Amino acid sequence: MIEKIKSFINLRIFKFLGVGGFCAGLSLILMYGLTSLLQINYLISSVITIIITNFIGFALNKYYTFQTKKKLFWRELWKYYSVMLSSYIINLCAMFILVDLVNIWYLYANIILMIILTPLNYIFHKNWSFNKKKLPSK
């Protein structure tokens, strides 16, 4: 029974969610600190937060969640940043809509978008960024 629990916890999706949860918590703390405490505009705070948590998320997902080879670092980093850049462009546009047009508090808007974008990010990272399938030979 304990082995089944361990194997269930070790499922890649739960590792991804754990890393994502950690990065989400860090993101909320940074977002609050930059926006509410340091009085930085929420969109600029979002960009700063994205840069910091993105690199931490990449490192944790590469070495913990997907456990890919070190020699694939640059290829995976480029793919990871491509996925995350797309996600963050959507995030920033949606943040503007939710905060400025719909009048949702910026932290609530951030949480809503994390919930929506996390499954999409997982699918793209699993199937593209950290795909372990061998590349075709030239």
Side-chain angles (χ1 to χ4, degrees), residues 69-131:
K69 297 176 183 175
K70 289 183 182 180
K71 69 180 182 177
L72 300 176
F73 181 87
W74 293 109
R75 185 187 81 168
E76 291 170 344
L77 183 66
W78 175 82
K79 287 181 172 185
Y80 187 88
Y81 274 84
S82 297
V83 170
M84 296 313 289
L85 179 62
S86 301
S87 180
Y88 289 132
I89 289 170
I90 293 167
N91 184 294
L92 287 174
C93 293
M95 279 287 285
F96 174 77
I97 292 167
L98 292 174
V99 173
D100 286 344
L101 302 179
V102 183
N103 294 317
I104 295 175
W105 187 43
Y106 73 93
L107 285 180
Y108 289 155
N110 203 18
I111 292 168
I112 290 167
L113 293 171
M114 284 180 199
I115 291 168
I116 292 169
L117 293 172
T118 295
L120 297 173
N121 289 338
Y122 175 77
I123 290 166
F124 283 107
H125 289 315
K126 178 180 177 243
N127 295 316
W128 193 60
S129 302
F130 298 107
N131 188 336

Side-chain angles (χ1 to χ4, degrees), residues 4 19 38 50 62-64 97 116 121 130:
K4 283 186 179 183
V19 168
L38 298 179
I50 285 164
K62 175 171 180 50
Y63 297 111
Y64 174 68
I97 292 167
I116 292 169
N121 289 338
F130 298 107

Side-chain angles (χ1 to χ4, degrees), residues 15-57:
K15 288 181 177 182
F16 184 82
L17 291 173
V19 168
F22 172 76
C23 289
L26 179 60
S27 175
L28 290 173
I29 291 168
L30 287 171
M31 188 78 171
Y32 176 79
L34 293 169
T35 304
S36 294
L37 300 178
L38 298 179
Q39 300 296 308
I40 296 173
N41 178 277
Y42 74 91
L43 291 174
I44 295 169
S45 296
S46 289
V47 171
I48 294 168
T49 298
I50 285 164
I51 291 168
I52 292 169
T53 57
N54 198 29
F55 186 75
I56 292 169

